[in-house]
Amino acid sequence: MTNSAKSLDCDAIVIGAGFAGLYMLRKLRDELGLTARVFERGDNVGGTWYWNRYPGARCDSESYIYCYSFDRELLQEWEWSGKYPEQPEILSYLNHVADRFDLRRSIDFNTSVVSAHYDDARDRWEVTTDKGEVIASRFLITGIGCLSAGQVPDIQGRELFKGESYHTGAWPHEGVDLQGKRVGVIGTGSSGVQSIPVIARDAAQLFVFQRTPQYTIPARHGTVDKAFLDNVKANYDEIWREAKTSAGGAPYTPIDRSALSVSEEERNAVYEDAWQQGGFKFVLASFNDIVIDPRANETASEFIRSKIREIVNDPVTAEKLVPKDHPFTSKRALIDTDYFDTYNRDNVTLVDIRESPIQEITETGIRTAAADYDLDVIVFATGFDAMTGPYFKIDIRGKDGVALKEKWSAGPRTYLGISTAGFPNLLMITGPGSPSVLSNMPVSIEQHVEWIADTISTMRAQGKQTIEADAQAEADWVEHVNAMAQPTLFMQADSWYLGANIPGKPRVFMPYVGGVGAYRIKCDEVAAAGYEGFVLA
Ligand code: NAP
């Protein structure tokens, strides 16, 4: 590994220029002095925040912790304007990072990696782009995101629709004029719940096609108090220490009190207070067992159901919006701004597609078993082929030409969510089997980037060329990831965590539920023990 690599040969290829790829590039190029190239399919940096520009797009993590922690000056100079960062602001932040560290010169934009094949004879990855370029690289590092392969359901007649249609994760950069239009939104996950209230303000009529009702907590978004941010900046070291050792990657101290240890009156007062404060603190600052104990959980689920019935004026609509088939937090927890209130607007209609399924998309709109809905625009807020989808979009082949898609055909198999046996020097940032999507992503991303950089540095010092997960260590980790997930409430819902949103996808719980703090300790222990469970050659 040297700086004087041939022009078409490099030390490391990084795929993706989002949070993960940008920091990985900074580490490899500027700290380790490696020749590194980043390939990014968009025409600019940002990853998730480059693509997800739908109305109302915003992060559910609070601004001051939805950022990098690796550079103190960067932390001090950036000013967040709101409690939760909105998509344009996160994108500006990532552009600022790219400029500040002069990262763009190592990024090929508008370039997708179509294949990556491991050359056993040379111990190199041979990477081919859609521009026809073929580059050999010792390391292949994926910063491709967990939720970057959008899924538009294969509804009969979709291609016949004469109006406009968009997926929330591929929203046009110039925006979409919805003023005065009849809009149908399919899907009520995070993207639907965020976009529906905003679309309702512009559209003449909005029809929401709901399959599964959602629990969602008010975000209580607003401008961020300058005094609060000053205090954060003065205490960032401690804030990051807490975030990095926590379960979810946020510096919130969970309350040590069971929902079942107090009277119903007291419990509801706690929930009411947490509801008024808003955000994920509803879970963490109320009771310690609502995500663990089904009886405790039912008290929180029931509280939210009562709120929906209270907010939504029409009792029939309210009842359709009340989730009854899965417990709160078993699907990705949501926070919202005016979501349930939106159903009190005259121009908004909820269409229950469990009751009357969508039969087809026609030239003029959506036909359910009960009615035809004439539409000018269809918005697919239908989610992603999560975690494995981004990998399967690239033809990745390891030793002996084995395809990753083949190896993972019964579900992803990784060691620590970083490496997979048979694919030497393929290192995954927030891959399946790591906490990733169950955490505040920048915290998990930084941990992986730093672990990978340290690993490459150690390999260099020891004269090692390749690192690969040991097959037994991988099997043990896969079993551990599954065993940890089995007793949790996550197993009680059809969620994308389990691949349940993609027809035919194996039902396997993909992220690691052990928490970012415990997981970090495990990764550090593995490294300290001479990369236990890996083969370094
Ligand atoms: P999602 O959570 O998977 O929601 C997709 C929605 O579309 C669900 O309501 C789903 O119904 C529905 N749907 C899917 N296929 C359908 C079909 N064939 N017919 C009818 N309805 C269908 O996707 P998302 O809202 O894009 O969010 C994905 C993840 O991205 C989130 O969980 C979160 O991790 C991340 N995200 C985060 C933010 C944020 O931080 N604020 C914002 C957006 C996204 P079912 O529930 O019945 O499957």
Side-chain angles (χ1 to χ4, degrees):
M1 292 178 286
T2 67
N3 265 324
S4 57
K6 284 178 286 169
S7 63
L8 287 183
D9 210 344
C10 62
D11 296 322
I13 285 176
V14 179
I15 315 178
F19 262 102
L22 292 178
Y23 184 31
M24 195 74 247
L25 172 61
R26 164 93 178 134
K27 277 278 186 191
L28 296 171
R29 191 193 68 184
D30 301 342
E31 290 185 23
L32 299 187
L34 302 184
T35 52
R37 282 180 75 178
V38 177
F39 292 107
E40 165 55 55
R41 71 187 158 109
D43 69 7
N44 209 335
V45 299
T48 284
W49 302 103
Y50 172 92
W51 297 103
N52 285 268
R53 301 180 188 225
Y54 59 83
R58 185 185 293 159
C59 183
D60 290 350
S61 292
E62 290 187 64
S63 310
Y64 72 97
I65 48 161
Y66 196 75
C67 53
Y68 295 113
S69 70
F70 71 82
D71 188 285
R72 283 181 180 204
E73 280 174 28
L74 175 64
L75 278 173
Q76 293 301 322
E77 75 200 12
W78 188 261
E79 298 284 338
W80 294 106
S81 67
K83 181 178 177 189
Y84 299 99
E86 287 164 344
Q87 176 270 333
E89 197 169 8
I90 305 172
L91 195 56
S92 301
Y93 170 76
L94 291 170
N95 272 280
H96 171 71
V97 170
D99 293 335
R100 195 184 192 287
F101 298 108
D102 189 21
L103 298 175
R104 292 177 202 281
R105 67 184 159 86
S106 304
I107 305 173
D108 287 61
F109 292 107
N110 294 310
T111 308
S112 296
V113 169
V114 290
S115 70
H117 295 176
Y118 190 71
D119 179 345
D120 303 51
R122 292 177 66 215
D123 284 335
R124 286 279 193 286
W125 281 94
E126 196 162 278
V127 170
T128 307
T129 72
D130 62 349
K131 299 270 171 65
E133 194 180 354
V134 182
I135 314 101
S137 172
R138 180 165 301 287
F139 292 99
L140 176 65
I141 302 175
T142 50
I144 52 183
C146 300
L147 295 156
S148 55
Q151 84 110 4
V152 176
D154 196 13
I155 300 170
Q156 187 189 319
R158 207 179 74 202
E159 69 293 347
L160 300 176
F161 183 56
K162 291 243 162 70
E164 305 158 62
S165 61
Y166 307 99
H167 184 271
T168 47
W171 201 257
H173 290 192
E174 63 281 11
V176 179
D177 181 10
L178 298 172
Q179 289 281 344
K181 294 190 175 154
R182 297 162 304 174
V183 181
V185 175
I186 305 178
T188 53
S190 295
S191 307
V193 159
Q194 282 190 334
S195 59
I196 285 162
V198 184
I199 293 174
R201 293 205 287 267
D202 280 350
Q205 269 185 296
L206 171 62
F207 298 94
V208 177
F209 295 85
Q210 172 195 270
R211 189 162 71 180
T212 308
Q214 291 275 12
Y215 299 93
T216 148
I217 309 294
R220 310 282 178 211
H221 177 57
T223 51
V224 75
D225 183 359
K226 169 97 175 71
F228 171 79
L229 273 191
D230 288 347
N231 188 43
V232 161
K233 288 188 177 184
N235 293 291
Y236 248 137
D237 287 351
E238 178 57 16
I239 287 170
W240 288 119
R241 196 196 55 73
E242 269 189 57
K244 291 174 185 185
T245 53
S246 69
Y252 307 145
T253 311
I255 201 118
D256 189 18
R257 170 181 57 194
S258 162
L260 305 174
S261 67
V262 296
S263 68
E264 188 179 348
E265 214 180 349
E266 197 180 327
R267 190 163 54 227
N268 284 335
V270 169
Y271 284 140
E272 183 60 39
D273 185 46
W275 181 269
Q276 293 311 329
Q277 286 186 45
F280 287 142
K281 285 184 189 158
F282 180 87
V283 179
L284 292 164
S286 56
F287 300 105
N288 61 5
D289 49 359
I290 58 180
V291 298
I292 305 165
D293 182 327
R295 288 178 310 144
N297 179 282
E298 179 56 18
T299 65
S301 300
E302 197 47 37
F303 178 84
I304 301 170
R305 292 182 194 122
S306 72
K307 281 291 178 191
I308 300 170
R309 293 182 178 113
E310 196 180 297
I311 297 167
V312 180
N313 297 336
D314 172 35
V316 177
T317 304
E319 222 41 51
K320 289 183 199 296
L321 286 164
V322 168
K324 296 171 189 133
D325 67 347
H326 64 283
F328 173 51
T329 70
S330 58
K331 278 175 175 270
R332 173 21 169 104
L334 307 183
I335 63 176
D336 71 276
T337 300
D338 297 336
Y339 178 65
F340 293 119
D341 296 273
T342 296
Y343 293 94
N344 293 331
R345 296 178 65 107
D346 292 339
N347 67 334
V348 177
T349 306
L350 180 69
V351 182
D352 183 343
I353 57 172
R354 278 237 196 271
E355 201 174 85
S356 303
I358 294 178
Q359 289 185 329
E360 59 179 325
I361 294 180
T362 64
E363 285 188 8
T364 54
I366 294 177
R367 176 170 297 150
T368 70
D372 273 310
Y373 297 88
D374 286 341
L375 302 169
D376 302 305
V377 182
I378 298 177
V379 175
F380 290 96
T382 43
F384 302 87
D385 183 354
M387 306 203 77
T388 52
Y391 286 90
F392 295 165
K393 280 170 68 177
I394 305 168
D395 175 23
I396 301 177
R397 289 171 193 269
K399 289 199 292 203
D400 304 321
V402 173
L404 186 66
K405 199 170 182 175
E406 204 179 297
K407 180 181 170 185
W408 287 4
S409 60
R413 297 186 65 77
T414 72
Y415 179 41
L416 300 175
I418 297 176
S419 171
T420 185
F423 295 74
N425 289 358
L426 166 63
L427 297 166
M428 296 176 269
I429 303 173
T430 64
S434 71
S436 61
V437 291
L438 299 180
S439 71
N440 176 33
M441 285 301 284
V443 168
S444 287
I445 286 169
E446 281 194 328
Q447 187 245 333
H448 269 185
V449 167
E450 287 161 11
W451 192 93
I452 289 170
D454 288 349
T455 300
I456 294 176
S457 177
T458 305
M459 287 172 68
R460 184 161 57 175
Q462 296 179 356
K464 304 288 188 193
Q465 302 292 315
T466 59
I467 179 167
E468 182 187 347
D470 166 67
Q472 187 57 50
E474 175 178 294
D476 293 346
W477 183 254
V478 170
E479 199 183 311
H480 175 61
V481 170
N482 285 329
M484 291 286 284
Q486 284 311 318
T488 68
L489 296 171
F490 286 124
M491 303 310 285
Q492 295 185 26
D494 289 331
S495 70
W496 59 259
Y497 295 136
L498 278 156
N501 62 329
I502 304 294
K505 190 165 174 172
R507 200 181 168 95
V508 173
F509 192 80
M510 294 179 285
Y512 178 57
V513 298
V516 299
Y519 172 80
R520 176 186 295 268
I521 291 171
K522 170 73 182 165
C523 291
D524 290 348
E525 283 173 356
V526 163
Y531 291 91
E532 190 176 30
F534 287 98
V535 180
L536 273 69

